[in-house]
Amino acid sequence: MGTVIKGGYVLTPEGLQKGWGLRTEEGRITEIGPWPVLTVRADDEVVELPGRLLAPGFVNGHNHMYGFLSHGITAEALVTEFSSFLEDYWWPYVEDRLDHELVAATTAWACVEMIDSGVTSFADILEGPHAIPGALEVEREIVERAGLRGLLSFEACQRAGEEIGALGLEENTGFIRAARERGGLVQGFLSIHTLFTCDENYVKRAKALADGSRAPMHMHLCESVYEPGWCWERYGKRPVELYDEWGCLDGNVLASQVVQVPEEDLDILAQRGVRAVTMPLSNCEVGGGVAPVTEMLERGMTVGLGTDGYVNNFFEVMRGAFLIHKAHRQDPQAMPAKTVYRMATEMGARALGLEETGTLEAGKAADVIAIALDTPTPINEHNVYDQLVLFRGPADVTDVMAAGRWLKREGRILTIDPSAARERLRAAAESFWNPQR
């Protein structure tokens, strides 16, 4: 049995196609084209969405699902700059207090918000030194039920001691191995934090483990001026120089943030084939700066887009990327809407190594979203990317399919109960914020 979806429009790599639809079978797109030429078999489900645009599901290239616990929290810590954000607030108030129940509650609600926003694929980095072992398995069970395509990792580092540092690497490699043996939409990758929480031997070991596991290695790179300054004082070199000198930069590396990176280091990243993910809104929150995304793209780097677990409305994140770089470069032509849209879809998929998704083409995964076209001004082939990036939102995402499975239909999420997930997280957060209760 297949599914034939007849949209008002389909957004293909070649552009906007009116009166087109697609057919899916066994989780893949088998055909795409005008309605009259689509194969419709007797047992196919036929879904007619004449007032909607069919588009590839969004790819959230960098998430911290547990970050919901910080949304609205009141903390006594006075954050003055990036290191203070981590040491005085984020680590003691949030990360160090995570357990399996909190991981489960935040994962469930994160899946709700991602599906609602049209995200069908994502990468998540769990940071919680006292939540391992087993925290990634907790996430996996929920993400699989939700039906999303997920890459999960634990942020390994040495800040909580050598024993937990080693356990963090084991959490990653064990999960990568088990997920690959199991198969399915949820897989693993290896993540470390930064050079100021990981020494040279630890970084080299992580890279060797990632390569041996045939999985990407991720690091947070130069999120603010703190890491470059720390590395200069400690090593007399910049972070990118160190990673390169240690043999830890190549096409198997995914760097997130990449904010405070000079031109010469961008050249190194581009030459080594490093992929990147940018978080325009969370970089503003922590005072990190504006990432040189336009400069990375000019060098031919593959750059995805992520929420960082901060503002998880993916349309807002796209708008942020569209606007922030124009203001920063004082150039209204910087970061066109089409470029932002590509970062949110096919380029984001390539950044994560998910070659099977990101575009609507025959043979690709059936990761499809339907977006309402009831805009006050018409959508056409000239303005479609501006209309999507600037003037649509999660409420306009009426239907979501991942690997041929409906996750949302006619505005209703099918695979996870939003009300139950919301109440679970609300109760967990209230207890988390007021541990005496």
Side-chain angles (χ1 to χ4, degrees):
M1 179 180 177
T3 300
V4 177
I5 311 172
K6 296 181 176 180
Y9 294 85
V10 176
L11 191 53
T12 72
E14 291 74 35
L16 191 66
Q17 311 293 340
K18 186 175 182 179
W20 277 35
L22 54 84
R23 184 179 184 277
T24 76
E25 188 174 343
E26 296 183 350
R28 296 272 166 180
I29 298 171
T30 58
E31 293 180 47
I32 185 167
W35 295 352
V37 304
L38 288 177
T39 301
V40 181
R41 296 177 181 166
D43 59 350
D44 281 348
E45 174 194 23
V46 179
V47 178
E48 297 196 9
L49 302 173
R52 280 159 253 186
L53 167 71
L54 303 184
F58 295 126
V59 179
N60 184 348
H62 186 92
N63 201 356
H64 296 290
M65 294 189 287
Y66 73 95
F68 280 107
L69 290 169
S70 70
H71 292 191
I73 192 172
T74 299
E76 295 178 359
L78 178 63
V79 174
T80 56
E81 37 74 40
F82 183 74
S83 63
S84 171
F85 175 85
L86 291 177
E87 296 171 4
D88 299 330
Y89 166 56
W90 194 252
W91 289 340
Y93 279 89
V94 182
E95 275 188 31
D96 291 350
R97 299 170 59 208
L98 289 182
D99 59 24
H100 284 194
E101 169 54 28
L102 293 169
V103 169
T106 51
T107 299
W109 184 250
C111 289
V112 169
E113 289 210 348
M114 283 190 283
I115 294 170
D116 224 25
S117 251
V119 170
T120 55
S121 303
F122 72 99
D124 187 77
I125 295 93
L126 174 62
E127 304 172 359
H130 308 300
I132 54 174
L136 292 181
E137 278 297 317
V138 173
E139 287 190 330
R140 177 194 64 81
E141 291 178 3
I142 296 168
V143 173
E144 283 190 344
R145 287 201 301 271
L148 290 165
R149 187 182 306 278
L151 294 177
L152 307 181
S153 71
F154 179 81
E155 185 186 86
C157 70
Q158 296 165 291
R159 75 166 181 85
E162 295 300 326
E163 184 176 346
I164 289 179
L167 194 61
L169 294 176
E170 292 173 15
E171 179 81 1
N172 279 304
T173 54
F175 182 79
I176 291 167
R177 183 171 55 252
R180 184 170 289 134
E181 290 172 356
R182 187 183 299 112
L185 299 184
V186 181
Q187 295 296 310
F189 66 107
L190 194 144
S191 180
I192 62 171
H193 184 231
T194 63
L195 292 178
F196 58 86
T197 56
C198 302
D199 65 24
E200 178 180 355
N201 289 334
Y202 192 86
V203 171
K204 289 180 175 178
R205 174 163 170 71
K207 185 65 171 72
L209 288 170
D211 291 345
S213 300
R214 293 176 289 113
M217 185 179 91
H218 161 269
M219 81 281 282
H220 292 82
L221 181 63
C222 301
E223 188 170 358
S224 75
V225 297
Y226 181 76
E227 186 178 27
W230 186 93
C231 285
W232 193 260
E233 282 190 15
R234 176 74 176 267
Y235 297 102
K237 295 184 179 179
R238 299 182 304 274
V240 171
E241 289 182 296
L242 286 170
Y243 278 120
D244 194 40
E245 183 180 289
W246 297 345
C248 294
L249 293 182
D250 55 33
N252 198 42
V253 170
L254 177 65
S256 67
Q257 313 294 350
V258 197
V259 181
Q260 297 295 338
V261 180
E263 296 273 344
E264 54 266 41
D265 287 355
L266 292 179
D267 290 337
I268 294 172
L269 295 175
Q271 289 163 9
R272 300 293 182 264
V274 173
R275 295 163 282 158
V277 180
T278 182
M279 277 62 68
L281 300 187
S282 68
N283 291 159
C284 293
E285 185 217 10
V286 301
V290 177
V293 175
T294 52
E295 292 87 342
M296 285 189 268
L297 293 172
E298 287 165 0
R299 285 167 169 77
M301 289 181 64
T302 300
V303 185
L305 193 62
T307 63
D308 214 15
Y310 180 46
V311 174
N312 291 289
N313 177 332
F314 211 65
F315 289 87
E316 294 290 347
V317 176
M318 288 193 291
R319 279 191 276 278
F322 177 83
L323 295 169
I324 284 169
H325 297 285
K326 287 174 166 52
H328 181 63
R329 293 192 65 160
Q330 299 180 44
D331 178 5
Q333 299 303 315
M335 289 296 283
K338 184 176 181 179
T339 299
V340 174
Y341 179 83
R342 289 185 60 236
M343 290 167 60
T345 53
E346 61 95 2
M347 203 188 317
R350 285 193 286 114
L352 299 185
L354 298 175
E355 301 292 342
E356 72 271 33
T357 191
T359 58
L360 298 186
E361 299 176 82
K364 288 287 190 82
D367 296 348
V368 186
I369 63 176
I371 303 172
L373 296 179
D374 56 345
T375 51
T377 56
I379 288 180
N380 57 48
E381 66 273 21
H382 305 294
N383 69 19
V384 60
Y385 299 106
D386 292 273
Q387 290 275 34
L388 291 177
V389 169
L390 292 174
F391 306 118
R392 296 284 82 184
D396 302 305
V397 179
T398 61
D399 304 85
V400 176
M401 171 184 278
R405 177 188 180 190
W406 290 112
L407 311 186
K408 185 180 184 183
R409 280 289 287 123
E410 297 295 342
R412 185 171 69 89
I413 294 176
L414 305 178
T415 56
I416 192 165
D417 183 344
S419 296
R422 182 188 295 107
E423 290 308 310
R424 181 182 188 182
L425 179 55
R426 184 185 291 269
E430 186 168 6
S431 175
F432 183 76
W433 293 359
N434 302 282
Q436 285 74 34
R437 292 188 178 183

